Structure formats: structure tokens, C-alpha cells
């Protein structure tokens, strides 16, 4: 088996994915690593190029890997995105990082010291807060709760999965091949669920004061369903929008 000369590393809070490729770009291994075993893996691996997406946490791991003798390069997420294949997941992200790092024309980010990285984390958090607050119905309190209590949104496979985490999806009562949906599950992070519903209710009150229902899916729901049911539906939609914005690093766009 060829030896990996480049490793793409997708980092998260607890589970990491590594994709190794040889000098010709052929895949050598794909590895899932827990946080506690990450440094042991790289300590046992021959020195090579390790690439990560640039973010606040990446600078910490870059310093650790450099101390072991590895060459480390940080790539802006926007430059990794074109290399991501279909059915995006952490393993695919690691492969995309590895492929991007092997491009001769690729641009990289300088590894920052602990002090510089700490400043970057605060700036990144501020940018995320501002992005969240552009969603109608989401204010600083709700944005702060999502930043504090929600796990890394990239760990959710879809917006529906994120909406399910605070219990904004219906309970399922299925039997005999028939699926029956009940009230919302109310399972998961209660603070985020309550704040999203409060934000949705504020939008409903604003619409009711105007006296004209919007000509969209929400207007149809509000015209047919009780206000609380409509608020939960809107809160679910808000959660999905938040997931899409944060994972794709995009700003809110009026539909």
C-alpha cells in the first residue's frame, strides 16, 4: 500500500475524519477518529502534509500537529467547497480538503498563535450572531441561545434534523404500515424551541395587525390553522433556514 503524503482532516467537537492520499492523489485510507485518539494517530504517522479548513479551532490543531513535525496548511472553507462531492458528510469533507490541498494554485491561511486564534473565535462568533439576527423572528437572545446550546450545526445531516433537535417536529405513532403524526415531540433543547416559537408568534402578531395574510405557504397555514400550530410550523421553518445559512455560510435572503 502507498504511503499517504497528504491528509485532509475534517474537525468537529468529538469526532474527526481523516482522508489520506498518496503523491498521485489516490486515496490511501479513510479514518474516523475520536478527539482523544487524534494526536496519537498523527504521532504514529510519518511526517506529511495535513490540511484543515480554516476556523478558530483549526489553529489549535495546526499548532499541535506542527509540534509533531507535520507540515500543516489551513484552507479557507470557500476554497474547499468546489471539491465537495454529492451526499455531503464529514468523510466527504475530509476528502475535499485533501484534494484542495494538493492543488498547486491553492491559497492558504497562516496558522495563528493562541492569542491571535482567540481573537478570531470572538470575531467569528460575532459574525455568526449578526447572520442569525437577520432571520425574521430571531433576535439577539435567540441567536445567543443557538450559539450557546446548539451543537455544531455541521453535525446535522439536514435542516430537518436540526429542527428535530429542539423538538419542533411531530411525534410519530406508526403501526400496521400507517404513519400518524401527533403534536410536536418537545424533545431536545427546550430553550431554543421556546425562543423560536416566541419569535414565530411575534411575526404572527405583526401579520395580524396588518390585516392581510401573505400570499405564501405561511399565509395559507395561518389562514387554516390555529395560531399556535402556525407558530410551531414557522419555528420549524426558521430552524431549517438557520441550519442552511450557518452550514453554507450564507446570509438570509428574503423568499
Amino acid at each position: 500500500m502507498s504511503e499517504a503524503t497528504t491528509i485532509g482532516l475534517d474537525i468537529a467537537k468529538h469526532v474527526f475524519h481523516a482522508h489520506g492520499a498518496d503523491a498521485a492523489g489516490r486515496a490511501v485510507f479513510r479514518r474516523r477518529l475520536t478527539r482523544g485518539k487524534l494526536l496519537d494517530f498523527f504521532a504514529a504517522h510519518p511526517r506529511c502534509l495535513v490540511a484543515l479548513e480554516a476556523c478558530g479551532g483549526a489553529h489549535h490543531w495546526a499548532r499541535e500537529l506542527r509540534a509533531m513535525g507535520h507540515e500543516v496548511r489551513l484552507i479557507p472553507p470557500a476554497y474547499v467547497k468546489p471539491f465537495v462531492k454529492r451526499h455531503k458528510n464529514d468523510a466527504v469533507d475530509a476528502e475535499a480538503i485533501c484534494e484542495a490541498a494538493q492543488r498547486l494554485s491553492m491559497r492558504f491561511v497562516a496558522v495563528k498563535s493562541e492569542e491571535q486564534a482567540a481573537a478570531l473565535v470572538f470575531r467569528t462568533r460575532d459574525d455568526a450572531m449578526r447572520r442569525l439576527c437577520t432571520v425574521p423572528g430571531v433576535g439577539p437572545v435567540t441567536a445567543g441561545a443557538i450559539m450557546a446550546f446548539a451543537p455544531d450545526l455541521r453535525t446535522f445531516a439536514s435542516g430537518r434534523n436540526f429542527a428535530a433537535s429542539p423538538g419542533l417536529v411531530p411525534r410519530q405513532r406508526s403501526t400496521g404500515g400507517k404513519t400518524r403524526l401527533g403534536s410536536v415531540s418537545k424533545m431536545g433543547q427546550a430553550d431554543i424551541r421556546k425562543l423560536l416559537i416566541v419569535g414565530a408568534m411575534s411575526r404572527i402578531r405583526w401579520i395580524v395587525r396588518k390585516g392581510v395574510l401573505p400570499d405564501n405557504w405561511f399565509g395559507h397555514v395561518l389562514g387554516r390553522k390555529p395560531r399556535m400550530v402556525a407558530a410551531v410550523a414557522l419555528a420549524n421553518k426558521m430552524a431549517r433556514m438557520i441550519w442552511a445559512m450557518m452550514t453554507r455560510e450564507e446570509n438570509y435572503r428574503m423568499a
Side-chain angles (χ1 to χ4, degrees), residues 116-194:
Q116 292 171 323
L120 175 65
V121 169
F122 286 121
R123 187 164 63 251
T124 303
R125 180 183 176 86
D126 289 344
D127 291 342
M129 287 283 289
R130 283 192 289 270
R131 183 178 290 123
L132 286 172
C133 288
T134 63
V135 179
V138 176
V141 175
T142 304
I146 292 170
M147 295 293 294
F149 301 130
D152 186 346
L153 269 61
R154 293 180 301 174
T155 61
F156 296 99
S158 65
R160 186 188 187 283
N161 287 358
F162 173 60
S165 67
L168 287 170
V169 294
R171 287 193 181 94
Q172 287 195 20
R173 298 183 179 89
S174 304
T175 182
K178 295 182 179 179
T179 300
R180 295 180 175 86
L181 301 180
S183 58
V184 292
S185 66
K186 294 185 179 180
M187 299 175 66
Q189 224 298 322
D191 296 296
I192 295 176
R193 180 179 68 250
K194 291 175 182 177

Side-chain angles (χ1 to χ4, degrees), residues 12-16 33-40 60-61:
K13 287 186 177 180
H14 304 294
V15 178
F16 302 74
L33 302 164
T34 62
R35 187 183 188 90
K37 295 184 178 180
L38 180 68
L39 294 181
D40 291 338
H60 162 75
W61 294 113

Side-chain angles (χ1 to χ4, degrees), residues 49-61:
L49 169 62
V50 184
L52 305 87
E53 278 191 338
C55 64
H59 293 274
H60 162 75
W61 294 113

Side-chain angles (χ1 to χ4, degrees), residues 10 17 19 30 80 83-99:
D10 184 74
H17 284 79
H19 180 96
R30 297 177 179 87
V80 174
F83 298 94
V84 177
K85 298 175 182 176
R86 296 180 65 184
H87 308 298
K88 172 178 165 54
N89 54 47
D90 293 341
V92 170
D93 287 346
E95 182 179 359
I97 294 168
C98 183
E99 186 173 346

Side-chain angles (χ1 to χ4, degrees), residues 3-7 20 29 40-48 68 70:
E3 185 176 285
T5 58
T6 305
I7 298 176
F29 66 80
D40 291 338
F41 170 80
F42 280 99
H45 194 280
R47 294 180 182 180
C48 65
M68 295 178 179
H70 294 288

